[in-house]
PDB file of all heavy atoms in Angstrom:
ATOM      1  N   LEU A 132      -2.309   8.356 -22.193  1.00  0.00           N
ATOM      2  CA  LEU A 132      -1.321   8.382 -21.113  1.00  0.00           C
ATOM      3  C   LEU A 132      -0.333   9.545 -21.253  1.00  0.00           C
ATOM      4  O   LEU A 132       0.043   9.919 -22.360  1.00  0.00           O
ATOM      5  CB  LEU A 132      -0.520   7.073 -21.080  1.00  0.00           C
ATOM      6  CG  LEU A 132      -1.310   5.770 -20.962  1.00  0.00           C
ATOM      7  CD1 LEU A 132      -1.492   5.136 -22.340  1.00  0.00           C
ATOM      8  CD2 LEU A 132      -0.592   4.775 -20.043  1.00  0.00           C
ATOM      9  N   SER A 133       0.057  10.096 -20.106  1.00  0.00           N
ATOM     10  CA  SER A 133       1.156  11.067 -20.059  1.00  0.00           C
ATOM     11  C   SER A 133       2.017  10.736 -18.846  1.00  0.00           C
ATOM     12  O   SER A 133       1.546  10.095 -17.899  1.00  0.00           O
ATOM     13  CB  SER A 133       0.630  12.507 -19.962  1.00  0.00           C
ATOM     14  OG  SER A 133      -0.080  12.713 -18.755  1.00  0.00           O
ATOM     15  N   ARG A 134       3.283  11.212 -18.876  1.00  0.00           N
ATOM     16  CA  ARG A 134       4.241  10.766 -17.860  1.00  0.00           C
ATOM     17  C   ARG A 134       4.927  11.934 -17.129  1.00  0.00           C
ATOM     18  O   ARG A 134       5.256  12.940 -17.735  1.00  0.00           O
ATOM     19  CB  ARG A 134       5.312   9.889 -18.535  1.00  0.00           C
ATOM     20  CG  ARG A 134       4.783   8.599 -19.096  1.00  0.00           C
ATOM     21  CD  ARG A 134       5.829   7.844 -19.887  1.00  0.00           C
ATOM     22  NE  ARG A 134       5.996   8.398 -21.230  1.00  0.00           N
ATOM     23  CZ  ARG A 134       6.879   7.968 -22.117  1.00  0.00           C
ATOM     24  NH1 ARG A 134       7.695   6.971 -21.781  1.00  0.00           N
ATOM     25  NH2 ARG A 134       6.964   8.509 -23.309  1.00  0.00           N
ATOM     26  N   PHE A 135       5.121  11.744 -15.823  1.00  0.00           N
ATOM     27  CA  PHE A 135       5.886  12.680 -14.995  1.00  0.00           C
ATOM     28  C   PHE A 135       7.210  12.021 -14.614  1.00  0.00           C
ATOM     29  O   PHE A 135       7.225  10.867 -14.166  1.00  0.00           O
ATOM     30  CB  PHE A 135       5.109  13.026 -13.727  1.00  0.00           C
ATOM     31  CG  PHE A 135       5.913  13.791 -12.711  1.00  0.00           C
ATOM     32  CD1 PHE A 135       6.046  15.166 -12.797  1.00  0.00           C
ATOM     33  CD2 PHE A 135       6.574  13.124 -11.674  1.00  0.00           C
ATOM     34  CE1 PHE A 135       6.804  15.872 -11.871  1.00  0.00           C
ATOM     35  CE2 PHE A 135       7.342  13.820 -10.734  1.00  0.00           C
ATOM     36  CZ  PHE A 135       7.448  15.204 -10.835  1.00  0.00           C
ATOM     37  N   PRO A 136       8.325  12.706 -14.765  1.00  0.00           N
ATOM     38  CA  PRO A 136       8.475  14.099 -15.217  1.00  0.00           C
ATOM     39  C   PRO A 136       8.778  14.230 -16.717  1.00  0.00           C
ATOM     40  O   PRO A 136       9.063  15.325 -17.177  1.00  0.00           O
ATOM     41  CB  PRO A 136       9.662  14.571 -14.393  1.00  0.00           C
ATOM     42  CG  PRO A 136      10.529  13.346 -14.294  1.00  0.00           C
ATOM     43  CD  PRO A 136       9.581  12.165 -14.213  1.00  0.00           C
ATOM     44  N   GLU A 137       8.737  13.134 -17.443  1.00  0.00           N
ATOM     45  CA  GLU A 137       9.193  13.168 -18.835  1.00  0.00           C
ATOM     46  C   GLU A 137       8.408  14.158 -19.691  1.00  0.00           C
ATOM     47  O   GLU A 137       8.996  14.903 -20.477  1.00  0.00           O
ATOM     48  CB  GLU A 137       9.095  11.770 -19.452  1.00  0.00           C
ATOM     49  CG  GLU A 137       9.563  11.729 -20.897  1.00  0.00           C
ATOM     50  CD  GLU A 137       9.764  10.313 -21.391  1.00  0.00           C
ATOM     51  OE1 GLU A 137      10.055   9.428 -20.573  1.00  0.00           O
ATOM     52  OE2 GLU A 137       9.632  10.114 -22.598  1.00  0.00           O
ATOM     53  N   ASN A 138       7.093  14.173 -19.559  1.00  0.00           N
ATOM     54  CA  ASN A 138       6.274  15.049 -20.390  1.00  0.00           C
ATOM     55  C   ASN A 138       6.079  16.438 -19.793  1.00  0.00           C
ATOM     56  O   ASN A 138       6.086  17.441 -20.508  1.00  0.00           O
ATOM     57  CB  ASN A 138       4.892  14.428 -20.635  1.00  0.00           C
ATOM     58  CG  ASN A 138       4.963  13.155 -21.452  1.00  0.00           C
ATOM     59  OD1 ASN A 138       4.269  12.190 -21.153  1.00  0.00           O
ATOM     60  ND2 ASN A 138       5.793  13.122 -22.475  1.00  0.00           N
ATOM     61  N   GLU A 139       5.894  16.495 -18.481  1.00  0.00           N
ATOM     62  CA  GLU A 139       5.588  17.767 -17.828  1.00  0.00           C
ATOM     63  C   GLU A 139       5.739  17.599 -16.327  1.00  0.00           C
ATOM     64  O   GLU A 139       5.733  16.484 -15.811  1.00  0.00           O
ATOM     65  CB  GLU A 139       4.156  18.210 -18.183  1.00  0.00           C
ATOM     66  CG  GLU A 139       3.716  19.539 -17.642  1.00  0.00           C
ATOM     67  CD  GLU A 139       4.672  20.676 -17.953  1.00  0.00           C
ATOM     68  OE1 GLU A 139       4.905  20.963 -19.145  1.00  0.00           O
ATOM     69  OE2 GLU A 139       5.203  21.270 -16.994  1.00  0.00           O
ATOM     70  N   LYS A 140       5.880  18.729 -15.611  1.00  0.00           N
ATOM     71  CA  LYS A 140       6.085  18.676 -14.165  1.00  0.00           C
ATOM     72  C   LYS A 140       4.929  19.293 -13.393  1.00  0.00           C
ATOM     73  O   LYS A 140       4.989  19.395 -12.162  1.00  0.00           O
ATOM     74  CB  LYS A 140       7.402  19.363 -13.797  1.00  0.00           C
ATOM     75  CG  LYS A 140       8.628  18.661 -14.394  1.00  0.00           C
ATOM     76  CD  LYS A 140       9.919  19.349 -14.025  1.00  0.00           C
ATOM     77  CE  LYS A 140      11.120  18.625 -14.665  1.00  0.00           C
ATOM     78  NZ  LYS A 140      12.405  19.287 -14.356  1.00  0.00           N
ATOM     79  N   GLU A 141       3.873  19.722 -14.097  1.00  0.00           N
ATOM     80  CA  GLU A 141       2.693  20.271 -13.443  1.00  0.00           C
ATOM     81  C   GLU A 141       1.499  19.366 -13.716  1.00  0.00           C
ATOM     82  O   GLU A 141       1.297  18.925 -14.851  1.00  0.00           O
ATOM     83  CB  GLU A 141       2.401  21.684 -13.950  1.00  0.00           C
ATOM     84  CG  GLU A 141       3.495  22.690 -13.626  1.00  0.00           C
ATOM     85  CD  GLU A 141       3.166  24.071 -14.174  1.00  0.00           C
ATOM     86  OE1 GLU A 141       1.971  24.322 -14.459  1.00  0.00           O
ATOM     87  OE2 GLU A 141       4.092  24.879 -14.336  1.00  0.00           O
ATOM     88  N   SER A 142       0.707  19.104 -12.680  1.00  0.00           N
ATOM     89  CA  SER A 142      -0.400  18.153 -12.801  1.00  0.00           C
ATOM     90  C   SER A 142      -1.426  18.586 -13.847  1.00  0.00           C
ATOM     91  O   SER A 142      -1.925  17.761 -14.619  1.00  0.00           O
ATOM     92  CB  SER A 142      -1.087  17.974 -11.445  1.00  0.00           C
ATOM     93  OG  SER A 142      -1.590  19.214 -10.971  1.00  0.00           O
ATOM     94  N   GLU A 143      -1.750  19.875 -13.889  1.00  0.00           N
ATOM     95  CA  GLU A 143      -2.760  20.350 -14.837  1.00  0.00           C
ATOM     96  C   GLU A 143      -2.326  20.121 -16.278  1.00  0.00           C
ATOM     97  O   GLU A 143      -3.111  19.680 -17.119  1.00  0.00           O
ATOM     98  CB  GLU A 143      -3.035  21.839 -14.599  1.00  0.00           C
ATOM     99  CG  GLU A 143      -4.170  22.375 -15.466  1.00  0.00           C
ATOM    100  CD  GLU A 143      -4.500  23.817 -15.136  1.00  0.00           C
ATOM    101  OE1 GLU A 143      -4.052  24.325 -14.091  1.00  0.00           O
ATOM    102  OE2 GLU A 143      -5.226  24.442 -15.939  1.00  0.00           O
ATOM    103  N   LYS A 144      -1.065  20.407 -16.557  1.00  0.00           N
ATOM    104  CA  LYS A 144      -0.549  20.214 -17.911  1.00  0.00           C
ATOM    105  C   LYS A 144      -0.441  18.727 -18.250  1.00  0.00           C
ATOM    106  O   LYS A 144      -0.657  18.329 -19.395  1.00  0.00           O
ATOM    107  CB  LYS A 144       0.800  20.906 -18.068  1.00  0.00           C
ATOM    108  CG  LYS A 144       0.709  22.431 -18.007  1.00  0.00           C
ATOM    109  CD  LYS A 144       2.067  23.093 -18.170  1.00  0.00           C
ATOM    110  CE  LYS A 144       1.943  24.602 -18.126  1.00  0.00           C
ATOM    111  NZ  LYS A 144       3.259  25.284 -18.251  1.00  0.00           N
ATOM    112  N   LEU A 145      -0.098  17.910 -17.259  1.00  0.00           N
ATOM    113  CA  LEU A 145      -0.045  16.462 -17.474  1.00  0.00           C
ATOM    114  C   LEU A 145      -1.427  15.917 -17.839  1.00  0.00           C
ATOM    115  O   LEU A 145      -1.562  15.059 -18.715  1.00  0.00           O
ATOM    116  CB  LEU A 145       0.468  15.762 -16.217  1.00  0.00           C
ATOM    117  CG  LEU A 145       1.975  15.804 -15.968  1.00  0.00           C
ATOM    118  CD1 LEU A 145       2.286  15.399 -14.544  1.00  0.00           C
ATOM    119  CD2 LEU A 145       2.723  14.917 -16.952  1.00  0.00           C
ATOM    120  N   MET A 146      -2.461  16.446 -17.176  1.00  0.00           N
ATOM    121  CA  MET A 146      -3.823  16.018 -17.468  1.00  0.00           C
ATOM    122  C   MET A 146      -4.225  16.397 -18.890  1.00  0.00           C
ATOM    123  O   MET A 146      -4.876  15.623 -19.599  1.00  0.00           O
ATOM    124  CB  MET A 146      -4.792  16.643 -16.462  1.00  0.00           C
ATOM    125  CG  MET A 146      -4.726  16.033 -15.073  1.00  0.00           C
ATOM    126  SD  MET A 146      -5.151  14.271 -15.051  1.00  0.00           S
ATOM    127  CE  MET A 146      -6.790  14.329 -15.737  1.00  0.00           C
ATOM    128  N   ILE A 147      -3.836  17.587 -19.311  1.00  0.00           N
ATOM    129  CA  ILE A 147      -4.155  18.027 -20.676  1.00  0.00           C
ATOM    130  C   ILE A 147      -3.477  17.120 -21.695  1.00  0.00           C
ATOM    131  O   ILE A 147      -4.073  16.741 -22.711  1.00  0.00           O
ATOM    132  CB  ILE A 147      -3.718  19.496 -20.879  1.00  0.00           C
ATOM    133  CG1 ILE A 147      -4.603  20.423 -20.040  1.00  0.00           C
ATOM    134  CG2 ILE A 147      -3.782  19.882 -22.357  1.00  0.00           C
ATOM    135  CD1 ILE A 147      -4.167  21.867 -20.052  1.00  0.00           C
ATOM    136  N   MET A 148      -2.233  16.739 -21.409  1.00  0.00           N
ATOM    137  CA  MET A 148      -1.498  15.859 -22.317  1.00  0.00           C
ATOM    138  C   MET A 148      -2.141  14.473 -22.388  1.00  0.00           C
ATOM    139  O   MET A 148      -2.266  13.886 -23.473  1.00  0.00           O
ATOM    140  CB  MET A 148      -0.045  15.752 -21.872  1.00  0.00           C
ATOM    141  CG  MET A 148       0.738  17.030 -22.062  1.00  0.00           C
ATOM    142  SD  MET A 148       2.400  16.939 -21.373  1.00  0.00           S
ATOM    143  CE  MET A 148       3.046  18.553 -21.862  1.00  0.00           C
ATOM    144  N   ALA A 149      -2.548  13.949 -21.241  1.00  0.00           N
ATOM    145  CA  ALA A 149      -3.234  12.644 -21.233  1.00  0.00           C
ATOM    146  C   ALA A 149      -4.559  12.745 -21.982  1.00  0.00           C
ATOM    147  O   ALA A 149      -4.952  11.822 -22.697  1.00  0.00           O
ATOM    148  CB  ALA A 149      -3.458  12.179 -19.796  1.00  0.00           C
ATOM    149  N   ASP A 150      -5.241  13.873 -21.836  1.00  0.00           N
ATOM    150  CA  ASP A 150      -6.513  14.085 -22.529  1.00  0.00           C
ATOM    151  C   ASP A 150      -6.304  14.175 -24.038  1.00  0.00           C
ATOM    152  O   ASP A 150      -7.113  13.679 -24.825  1.00  0.00           O
ATOM    153  CB  ASP A 150      -7.164  15.372 -22.010  1.00  0.00           C
ATOM    154  CG  ASP A 150      -8.678  15.329 -22.122  1.00  0.00           C
ATOM    155  OD1 ASP A 150      -9.234  14.226 -22.292  1.00  0.00           O
ATOM    156  OD2 ASP A 150      -9.303  16.400 -22.049  1.00  0.00           O
ATOM    157  N   LYS A 151      -5.213  14.801 -24.449  1.00  0.00           N
ATOM    158  CA  LYS A 151      -4.891  14.864 -25.879  1.00  0.00           C
ATOM    159  C   LYS A 151      -4.603  13.470 -26.427  1.00  0.00           C
ATOM    160  O   LYS A 151      -5.032  13.125 -27.537  1.00  0.00           O
ATOM    161  CB  LYS A 151      -3.689  15.783 -26.120  1.00  0.00           C
ATOM    162  CG  LYS A 151      -3.998  17.262 -25.987  1.00  0.00           C
ATOM    163  CD  LYS A 151      -2.794  18.109 -26.387  1.00  0.00           C
ATOM    164  CE  LYS A 151      -3.136  19.592 -26.369  1.00  0.00           C
ATOM    165  NZ  LYS A 151      -2.009  20.424 -26.853  1.00  0.00           N
ATOM    166  N   ALA A 152      -3.882  12.676 -25.650  1.00  0.00           N
ATOM    167  CA  ALA A 152      -3.593  11.298 -26.074  1.00  0.00           C
ATOM    168  C   ALA A 152      -4.882  10.484 -26.170  1.00  0.00           C
ATOM    169  O   ALA A 152      -5.071   9.705 -27.105  1.00  0.00           O
ATOM    170  CB  ALA A 152      -2.613  10.645 -25.103  1.00  0.00           C
ATOM    171  N   LEU A 153      -5.788  10.694 -25.201  1.00  0.00           N
ATOM    172  CA  LEU A 153      -7.080  10.004 -25.218  1.00  0.00           C
ATOM    173  C   LEU A 153      -7.885  10.433 -26.444  1.00  0.00           C
ATOM    174  O   LEU A 153      -8.484   9.597 -27.135  1.00  0.00           O
ATOM    175  CB  LEU A 153      -7.857  10.324 -23.944  1.00  0.00           C
ATOM    176  CG  LEU A 153      -9.271   9.743 -23.829  1.00  0.00           C
ATOM    177  CD1 LEU A 153      -9.229   8.226 -23.807  1.00  0.00           C
ATOM    178  CD2 LEU A 153      -9.958  10.279 -22.570  1.00  0.00           C
ATOM    179  N   TYR A 154      -7.890  11.720 -26.717  1.00  0.00           N
ATOM    180  CA  TYR A 154      -8.610  12.246 -27.884  1.00  0.00           C
ATOM    181  C   TYR A 154      -8.049  11.655 -29.170  1.00  0.00           C
ATOM    182  O   TYR A 154      -8.789  11.276 -30.078  1.00  0.00           O
ATOM    183  CB  TYR A 154      -8.490  13.770 -27.903  1.00  0.00           C
ATOM    184  CG  TYR A 154      -9.174  14.431 -29.070  1.00  0.00           C
ATOM    185  CD1 TYR A 154     -10.551  14.640 -29.070  1.00  0.00           C
ATOM    186  CD2 TYR A 154      -8.442  14.856 -30.184  1.00  0.00           C
ATOM    187  CE1 TYR A 154     -11.181  15.249 -30.142  1.00  0.00           C
ATOM    188  CE2 TYR A 154      -9.060  15.463 -31.254  1.00  0.00           C
ATOM    189  CZ  TYR A 154     -10.432  15.663 -31.224  1.00  0.00           C
ATOM    190  OH  TYR A 154     -11.057  16.261 -32.297  1.00  0.00           O
ATOM    191  N   ARG A 155      -6.728  11.542 -29.219  1.00  0.00           N
ATOM    192  CA  ARG A 155      -6.083  10.947 -30.396  1.00  0.00           C
ATOM    193  C   ARG A 155      -6.509   9.490 -30.554  1.00  0.00           C
ATOM    194  O   ARG A 155      -6.749   9.005 -31.675  1.00  0.00           O
ATOM    195  CB  ARG A 155      -4.563  11.043 -30.260  1.00  0.00           C
ATOM    196  CG  ARG A 155      -3.791  10.357 -31.375  1.00  0.00           C
ATOM    197  CD  ARG A 155      -4.021  11.089 -32.687  1.00  0.00           C
ATOM    198  NE  ARG A 155      -3.441  10.331 -33.778  1.00  0.00           N
ATOM    199  CZ  ARG A 155      -4.073   9.360 -34.431  1.00  0.00           C
ATOM    200  NH1 ARG A 155      -5.304   9.028 -34.110  1.00  0.00           N
ATOM    201  NH2 ARG A 155      -3.486   8.732 -35.424  1.00  0.00           N
ATOM    202  N   GLY A 156      -6.631   8.777 -29.438  1.00  0.00           N
ATOM    203  CA  GLY A 156      -7.077   7.389 -29.484  1.00  0.00           C
ATOM    204  C   GLY A 156      -8.497   7.258 -30.002  1.00  0.00           C
ATOM    205  O   GLY A 156      -8.817   6.344 -30.752  1.00  0.00           O
ATOM    206  N   LYS A 157      -9.352   8.211 -29.621  1.00  0.00           N
ATOM    207  CA  LYS A 157     -10.734   8.185 -30.090  1.00  0.00           C
ATOM    208  C   LYS A 157     -10.809   8.464 -31.587  1.00  0.00           C
ATOM    209  O   LYS A 157     -11.562   7.814 -32.316  1.00  0.00           O
ATOM    210  CB  LYS A 157     -11.564   9.204 -29.318  1.00  0.00           C
ATOM    211  CG  LYS A 157     -11.782   8.836 -27.859  1.00  0.00           C
ATOM    212  CD  LYS A 157     -12.587   9.913 -27.145  1.00  0.00           C
ATOM    213  CE  LYS A 157     -12.804   9.580 -25.687  1.00  0.00           C
ATOM    214  NZ  LYS A 157     -13.550  10.640 -24.973  1.00  0.00           N
ATOM    215  N   THR A 158     -10.030   9.441 -32.055  1.00  0.00           N
ATOM    216  CA  THR A 158     -10.067   9.753 -33.483  1.00  0.00           C
ATOM    217  C   THR A 158      -9.410   8.649 -34.307  1.00  0.00           C
ATOM    218  O   THR A 158      -9.717   8.480 -35.485  1.00  0.00           O
ATOM    219  CB  THR A 158      -9.357  11.090 -33.781  1.00  0.00           C
ATOM    220  OG1 THR A 158      -7.982  11.022 -33.344  1.00  0.00           O
ATOM    221  CG2 THR A 158     -10.038  12.240 -33.070  1.00  0.00           C
ATOM    222  N   LYS A 159      -8.529   7.893 -33.684  1.00  0.00           N
ATOM    223  CA  LYS A 159      -7.871   6.786 -34.380  1.00  0.00           C
ATOM    224  C   LYS A 159      -8.818   5.607 -34.566  1.00  0.00           C
ATOM    225  O   LYS A 159      -8.608   4.756 -35.428  1.00  0.00           O
ATOM    226  CB  LYS A 159      -6.640   6.346 -33.589  1.00  0.00           C
ATOM    227  CG  LYS A 159      -5.786   5.302 -34.286  1.00  0.00           C
ATOM    228  CD  LYS A 159      -4.594   4.931 -33.431  1.00  0.00           C
ATOM    229  CE  LYS A 159      -3.753   3.845 -34.109  1.00  0.00           C
ATOM    230  NZ  LYS A 159      -2.615   3.424 -33.273  1.00  0.00           N
ATOM    231  N   GLY A 160      -9.880   5.552 -33.754  1.00  0.00           N
ATOM    232  CA  GLY A 160     -10.836   4.465 -33.901  1.00  0.00           C
ATOM    233  C   GLY A 160     -11.235   3.781 -32.616  1.00  0.00           C
ATOM    234  O   GLY A 160     -11.952   2.788 -32.626  1.00  0.00           O
ATOM    235  N   ARG A 161     -10.757   4.312 -31.465  1.00  0.00           N
ATOM    236  CA  ARG A 161     -11.084   3.739 -30.154  1.00  0.00           C
ATOM    237  C   ARG A 161     -10.480   2.336 -29.983  1.00  0.00           C
ATOM    238  O   ARG A 161      -9.776   1.863 -30.840  1.00  0.00           O
ATOM    239  CB  ARG A 161     -12.603   3.725 -29.935  1.00  0.00           C
ATOM    240  CG  ARG A 161     -13.205   5.140 -29.829  1.00  0.00           C
ATOM    241  CD  ARG A 161     -14.712   5.105 -29.839  1.00  0.00           C
ATOM    242  NE  ARG A 161     -15.284   6.387 -29.487  1.00  0.00           N
ATOM    243  CZ  ARG A 161     -15.362   7.424 -30.307  1.00  0.00           C
ATOM    244  NH1 ARG A 161     -14.900   7.320 -31.530  1.00  0.00           N
ATOM    245  NH2 ARG A 161     -15.883   8.571 -29.905  1.00  0.00           N
ATOM    246  N   ASN A 162     -10.760   1.717 -28.803  1.00  0.00           N
ATOM    247  CA  ASN A 162     -10.219   0.393 -28.497  1.00  0.00           C
ATOM    248  C   ASN A 162      -8.703   0.355 -28.679  1.00  0.00           C
ATOM    249  O   ASN A 162      -8.147  -0.539 -29.301  1.00  0.00           O
ATOM    250  CB  ASN A 162     -10.885  -0.676 -29.362  1.00  0.00           C
ATOM    251  CG  ASN A 162     -10.411  -2.079 -29.007  1.00  0.00           C
ATOM    252  OD1 ASN A 162     -10.318  -2.429 -27.845  1.00  0.00           O
ATOM    253  ND2 ASN A 162     -10.096  -2.859 -30.011  1.00  0.00           N
ATOM    254  N   CYS A 163      -8.031   1.388 -28.164  1.00  0.00           N
ATOM    255  CA  CYS A 163      -6.574   1.466 -28.307  1.00  0.00           C
ATOM    256  C   CYS A 163      -6.027   2.312 -27.166  1.00  0.00           C
ATOM    257  O   CYS A 163      -6.777   2.857 -26.361  1.00  0.00           O
ATOM    258  CB  CYS A 163      -6.198   2.084 -29.654  1.00  0.00           C
ATOM    259  SG  CYS A 163      -6.707   3.805 -29.858  1.00  0.00           S
ATOM    260  N   PHE A 164      -4.711   2.397 -27.084  1.00  0.00           N
ATOM    261  CA  PHE A 164      -4.092   3.289 -26.110  1.00  0.00           C
ATOM    262  C   PHE A 164      -3.036   4.135 -26.819  1.00  0.00           C
ATOM    263  O   PHE A 164      -2.396   3.687 -27.775  1.00  0.00           O
ATOM    264  CB  PHE A 164      -3.471   2.515 -24.940  1.00  0.00           C
ATOM    265  CG  PHE A 164      -2.379   1.561 -25.324  1.00  0.00           C
ATOM    266  CD1 PHE A 164      -1.044   1.963 -25.357  1.00  0.00           C
ATOM    267  CD2 PHE A 164      -2.675   0.242 -25.647  1.00  0.00           C
ATOM    268  CE1 PHE A 164      -0.036   1.069 -25.712  1.00  0.00           C
ATOM    269  CE2 PHE A 164      -1.674  -0.657 -25.999  1.00  0.00           C
ATOM    270  CZ  PHE A 164      -0.352  -0.239 -26.036  1.00  0.00           C
TER     271      PHE A 164
END
Side-chain angles (χ1 to χ4, degrees):
L132 304 98
S133 64
R134 295 173 281 177
F135 170 84
E137 180 167 332
N138 295 138
E139 183 52 61
K140 297 180 181 179
E141 296 179 19
S142 59
E143 185 175 346
K144 292 180 179 179
L145 282 165
M146 287 299 302
I147 291 174
M148 291 174 177
D150 208 17
K151 286 186 175 184
L153 177 64
Y154 179 80
R155 175 67 188 87
K157 291 179 181 178
T158 59
K159 186 180 178 182
R161 294 171 169 77
N162 184 45
C163 65
F164 61 90

